[in-house]
Amino acid sequence: SPDASPTRVDALVVGAGISGIHQLWELRGKGLRTVLLEAGSGVGGVWFWNRYPGARFDSESYTYGYFFSPEILEEWTWSEEYAGQPETERYLNFVADRLDLRKDMRFDARVVSAHWQEDERVWEVTTATGEVYLTTYLVTALGILSKPAFPRVPGLEDFQGEWHHTGTWPVADVDVRGKRVAVIGTGSSGVQVIPFLAKDAASLTVFQRTANWATPINNFAIDDARAADLRERIQEIYTRTQETPGGAIHAPMTESSLALSDEERRAVWDRLYDAPGMAFVLGNFRDVALSREANGHLTAYLTERIRERVKDPRTAALLTPDDHGFGQKRPPLENGYYEVFNEPHVRLVSTVEDPLVRYTPTGLETAIESHDFDVIVIATGFVAVTGSYESIDIRGTGGRTLQEHWVDGPHTFLGMQAAGFPNLFLVGGPQSSAGIIPRVTETQATWVANCVAHLRDRGLSRIETTEAAEQEWHEHVLSGIEGTLQEDASGWAFGTNVGDGRQRAYLLYAGGQPQYRERIAESAEAGYKGFELS
Ligand code: NA7
């Protein structure tokens, strides 16, 4: 009840996703009284909420999971190279149980505010049900893709049918058999869910604003021999993830694609197109990310592949991006996506040609047509990275809100802290992540636990970064995309997908994971340079 006295802890973690779970384990390992609050009713984060059919890793399962625990590595075996959502959710539940983490987790506990109390040097954290926690250290592990973004189309409350956002899919099965189904959005989520909906629906209408450069995932089952081999090589695999920019086993090829002949390039791309996972995306020629000409050759190649797979030339043309190069938006991985559009009951509508106007009681109205649907699936993505922070009233010194601090886009030092917000650590927050997020957040979770132990061991209880340090990091973050095709890219990594007038700001970190790890380690080794300790 709201009158109950606050619970006092040393550290509080928000979020029981893959990062928060690890953070809880690390803090507990330092002997800190730690509690974790989670809005959902179970562990998993992204893998709890995104339970739409077809939701799946597109990084190798074993490079996405945890490496810190020998027990977990020994006792868990992935069944597929790219595990589906149910398996990943099972995995995270297994970890929570195996490491006995559940006893410090509180579910259905949505944090609504966190206010810094300078006098007592505590964060006062309040949940939607009025529970209050006082904590010396606050760690947000909110996930970079957790706050759903909706089309700015009125009338959803009028729609009498069933609707679901892919990012908050219900636990109960959604049965679309024999139903008229709509999907809005063709990013990674749309591209994953569409083939599954097409299989069961009586009709499927896909509303596409922007086509994406999707390439095949080429998933496969992990048999006993491969499982044994992976187990044997796991340290080698881990070392590889620590060396590549994206924390993946794939890394770009340094040779110039422009130095090759058309035939030579095509041979490489044919091979990558048939290779599993992110090989095509992350293992492509480096110059594709730097040179418009190189990128143009690649998109010409992919345009041909789309034409080969989609029978109707007009549909194929609509499915071919005309507004961005390969990699300027995060490319989806697909399994039979393009072939879906050859089926007679599937229709593609471009909302550029025929914009969505409103939801109606029976469906959706576009500028030129009225559509009836039983189910509408909203696959329009997320208010990425900072969106989850906007849902919490976070106030630092002097009552200043984090939203005020970030009004021109996020400002942090090392992606770990914001000036004016002492003892608040961001794990998987802005200006720190890109690539395989758990490979970044594991580094951060360890760093945070070491930092807190460092303070405790010296009788200190306050750490805060400075605006000067933030400024320096800001420049460093921007330098990571300078001279690359990311400079004029758009999409969720820049917040431009939301369409609410927010300023375009780069939300990720493009300097590569090895450099990121180096930077945060350097600061720690220098006694937490860029922070004030007291
Ligand atoms: P994404 O990648 O942001 O994709 C959302 C899609 O929804 C994208 O195609 C958007 O088009 C589209 N969209 C957004 N608003 C509208 C409206 N109003 N009408 C039509 N279409 C719209 O989110 P996902 O959930 O697919 O994937 C997120 C990440 O998760 C992904 O990158 C992986 O890292 C995992 P747009 O391109 O904005 O024009």
Side-chain angles (χ1 to χ4, degrees):
S1 83
D3 303 328
S5 56
T7 307
R8 184 72 175 89
V9 290
D10 299 322
L12 187 148
V13 180
V14 190
I18 197 157
S19 315
I21 293 171
H22 186 193
Q23 184 66 76
L24 173 59
W25 186 85
E26 290 284 345
L27 289 167
R28 190 197 272 178
K30 300 292 184 193
L32 292 145
R33 271 177 308 158
T34 309
V35 69
L36 182 151
L37 303 181
E38 164 58 49
S41 58
V43 298
V46 153
W47 304 104
F48 174 84
W49 297 104
N50 289 262
R51 47 182 74 241
Y52 61 83
R56 179 175 295 288
F57 281 149
D58 39 28
S59 303
E60 291 68 28
S61 312
Y62 45 87
T63 66
Y64 191 99
Y66 297 116
F67 288 90
F68 68 83
S69 155
E71 295 83 6
I72 301 294
L73 283 175
E74 187 53 39
E75 294 169 25
W76 182 267
T77 306
W78 294 102
S79 74
E80 289 180 278
E81 192 75 359
Y82 307 97
Q85 177 274 334
E87 183 172 4
T88 307
E89 191 187 13
R90 273 200 304 282
Y91 169 75
L92 294 171
N93 275 281
F94 163 75
V95 173
D97 290 330
R98 183 65 179 82
L99 304 179
D100 193 21
L101 293 170
R102 239 178 254 280
K103 63 171 186 262
D104 294 325
M105 294 178 168
R106 308 285 174 270
F107 297 101
D108 301 304
R110 181 177 289 280
V111 171
V112 293
S113 70
H115 297 168
W116 172 248
Q117 314 287 356
E118 187 65 59
D119 295 347
E120 295 104 75
R121 289 194 172 180
V122 291
W123 281 95
E124 184 184 272
V125 176
T126 309
T127 69
T129 54
E131 276 163 53
V132 180
Y133 293 83
L134 296 176
T135 181
T136 308
Y137 300 101
L138 175 61
V139 189
T140 48
L142 306 175
I144 68 164
L145 296 159
S146 47
K147 184 180 182 181
F150 285 82
R152 304 188 82 72
V153 172
L156 185 52
E157 62 285 355
D158 298 334
F159 177 57
Q160 301 294 306
E162 195 179 337
W163 67 264
H164 303 289
H165 191 290
T166 46
T168 49
W169 201 262
V171 175
D173 272 356
V174 176
D175 188 1
V176 300
R177 276 175 299 178
K179 293 186 179 157
R180 298 161 302 174
V181 180
V183 177
I184 309 173
T186 54
S188 293
S189 303
V191 163
Q192 286 190 334
V193 78
I194 283 165
F196 282 83
L197 297 173
K199 205 156 40 108
D200 288 343
S203 69
L204 178 68
T205 308
V206 175
F207 293 94
Q208 171 189 275
R209 182 163 74 184
T210 310
N212 275 303
W213 298 109
T215 55
I217 187 164
N218 299 311
N219 189 20
F220 58 93
I222 294 177
D223 61 14
D224 291 349
R226 180 158 180 81
D229 176 56
L230 289 171
R231 197 160 269 135
E232 195 158 303
R233 290 190 298 112
I234 199 68
Q235 284 314 320
E236 190 188 309
I237 290 167
Y238 185 65
T239 303
R240 172 78 176 154
T241 69
Q242 301 301 289
E243 290 165 354
T244 63
I249 53 175
H250 312 285
M253 292 178 283
T254 47
E255 72 180 299
S256 164
S257 70
L258 292 173
L260 303 180
S261 70
D262 278 344
E263 292 69 35
E264 287 167 329
R265 277 195 292 263
R266 166 171 285 277
V268 172
W269 288 331
D270 281 346
R271 176 174 61 72
L272 292 176
Y273 199 81
D274 293 336
M278 285 278 176
F280 198 96
V281 177
L282 299 176
N284 221 302
F285 297 103
R286 173 75 184 134
D287 62 359
V288 162
L290 304 173
S291 146
R292 245 164 244 293
E293 190 190 348
N295 203 284
H297 288 305
L298 178 60
T299 54
Y301 171 84
L302 288 175
T303 301
E304 269 183 53
R305 301 301 305 240
I306 295 170
R307 275 198 212 122
E308 284 162 18
R309 294 175 60 183
V310 180
K311 286 187 193 135
D312 172 43
R314 199 185 110 75
T315 307
L318 272 184
L319 288 167
T320 307
D322 59 4
D323 69 321
H324 68 281
F326 183 79
Q328 285 190 302
K329 275 185 183 159
R330 203 280 209 176
L333 296 193
E334 52 83 28
N335 184 16
Y337 175 67
Y338 290 108
E339 286 74 13
V340 162
F341 296 94
N342 295 330
E343 295 185 34
H345 69 303
V346 178
R347 183 176 164 199
L348 182 65
V349 176
S350 159
T351 66
V352 175
E353 293 174 1
D354 183 12
L356 297 173
V357 174
R358 66 172 67 87
Y359 301 91
T360 65
T362 57
L364 265 166
E365 195 180 300
T366 61
I368 56 176
E369 217 177 318
S370 177
H371 303 257
D372 287 343
F373 298 116
D374 303 304
V375 181
I376 298 177
V377 172
I378 300 172
T380 48
F382 302 89
V383 185
V385 192
T386 51
S388 47
Y389 288 90
E390 291 163 15
S391 305
I392 305 176
D393 176 33
I394 299 176
R395 291 170 194 252
T397 53
R400 182 174 156 85
T401 68
L402 191 59
Q403 249 178 298
E404 284 169 309
H405 188 58
W406 285 356
V407 68
D408 307 324
H411 292 263
T412 73
F413 179 52
L414 302 173
M416 297 294 325
Q417 264 208 342
F421 299 84
N423 293 11
L424 168 64
F425 296 103
L426 320 171
V427 165
Q431 302 189 313
S432 66
S433 357
I436 299 187
I437 305 302
R439 297 285 67 79
V440 178
T441 57
E442 75 179 342
T443 315
Q444 294 182 312
T446 312
W447 191 96
V448 168
N450 287 337
C451 175
V452 169
H454 174 96
L455 293 167
R456 180 193 55 197
D457 296 348
R458 284 158 186 76
L460 306 172
S461 60
R462 193 183 190 283
I463 177 166
E464 183 186 351
T465 191
T466 64
E467 292 201 358
E470 276 188 344
Q471 190 50 37
E472 196 188 301
W473 188 248
H474 202 74
E475 282 157 26
H476 171 66
V477 168
L478 290 182
S479 73
I481 58 170
E482 251 166 43
T484 76
L485 298 187
Q486 290 301 315
E487 269 187 308
D488 55 5
S490 61
W492 62 256
F494 294 87
T496 56
N497 60 318
V498 185
D500 63 353
R502 69 183 55 217
Q503 190 165 325
R504 177 181 182 273
Y506 186 56
L507 304 172
L508 303 177
Y509 178 79
Q513 293 191 5
Q515 177 175 213
Y516 180 73
R517 273 189 291 273
E518 228 168 80
R519 295 267 176 157
I520 64 170
E522 267 167 24
S523 163
E525 280 154 23
Y528 296 93
K529 189 164 179 284
F531 299 89
E532 286 167 356
L533 281 54
S534 64

